[in-house]
Amino acid sequence: MDEINLVAIFVADGFGIFLAFTMLLVRLWKKSSQKSESFYLRLMIIASILSCTADSISFLCDGVPGGFGKFCNIASNTYLYLSDCIIGTLFFLLLTAHITNGKMPKWQKIMIIVLDSIGTLGLIINLFTPIVFDVNDANVYSRGPLYSFYTVLQFAFILDSIVFYFVYRKKANKTIYFPVWQFIIPIAVGIIVQTVFYGISTVNPAIVIGICGAVLGLYNESEAEIEAMKQHERD
């Protein structure tokens, strides 16, 4: 990995970390969310900070000789794949907390458990047999045969959230708002770009941008509701 690429990766991940810490400091979601929603948002932000950090560490350790370098390379890349499950699950919990007060259909619980179990099991197996990614004797990372599966897994969480949101909104037969697209679109773009262009970092900063979009969407909804109540009281 040449120096220019490393600088670009550090800048992208650094921007994501800076934006995530800014959200933690401002705590804008507390003005627009219930206690459970605030909890899930906070966990998502912390998980995204860890992802951006692990991403930079993985590139920094790539090709560095020695046991410690190899350990950091494997550990950071393992967390990056695992974070797909962590953040995907947290987003769905946030979604259900907002529109159903945390109630989740049995089939949906099974779907989340299956996705998380498969993703986690694949990474455990990868520690012994490189099926997801490999770190060779020269401590150089390369994608494994199941790399594409984890890309599909990312989109599975996204599609699952979209389907659940619109199905529930239709069944409820009332206007229910949640900033699904503000969260999903930046992440989908980041996944596609990083998959097509090997050796760059766009997914993790895109996740932070998506979380920021969700926070702002929830805040705007809260402000609109407050304004509507004030207007109603004036009338």
Side-chain angles (χ1 to χ4, degrees), residues 37-54:
E37 293 177 52
S38 297
F39 175 71
Y40 295 136
L41 277 168
R42 188 181 296 109
L43 288 181
M44 286 174 66
I45 293 171
I46 293 173
S48 68
I49 291 173
L50 294 175
S51 294
C52 288
T53 303

Side-chain angles (χ1 to χ4, degrees), residues 61-97:
C61 293
D62 197 51
V64 175
F68 181 73
K70 187 167 187 175
F71 169 80
C72 291
N73 202 347
I74 294 174
S76 58
N77 277 293
T78 298
Y79 175 78
L80 287 172
Y81 284 96
L82 184 62
S83 67
D84 297 340
C85 298
I86 295 173
I87 295 176
T89 300
L90 288 173
F91 176 72
F92 194 86
L93 291 173
L94 172 65
L95 173 63
T96 55

Side-chain angles (χ1 to χ4, degrees), residues 10 46 68 81 86 105 121 125 138 151 186 206 213 230:
F10 293 158
I46 293 173
F68 181 73
Y81 284 96
I86 295 173
L121 180 61
I125 295 174
T151 302
K230 290 181 179 178

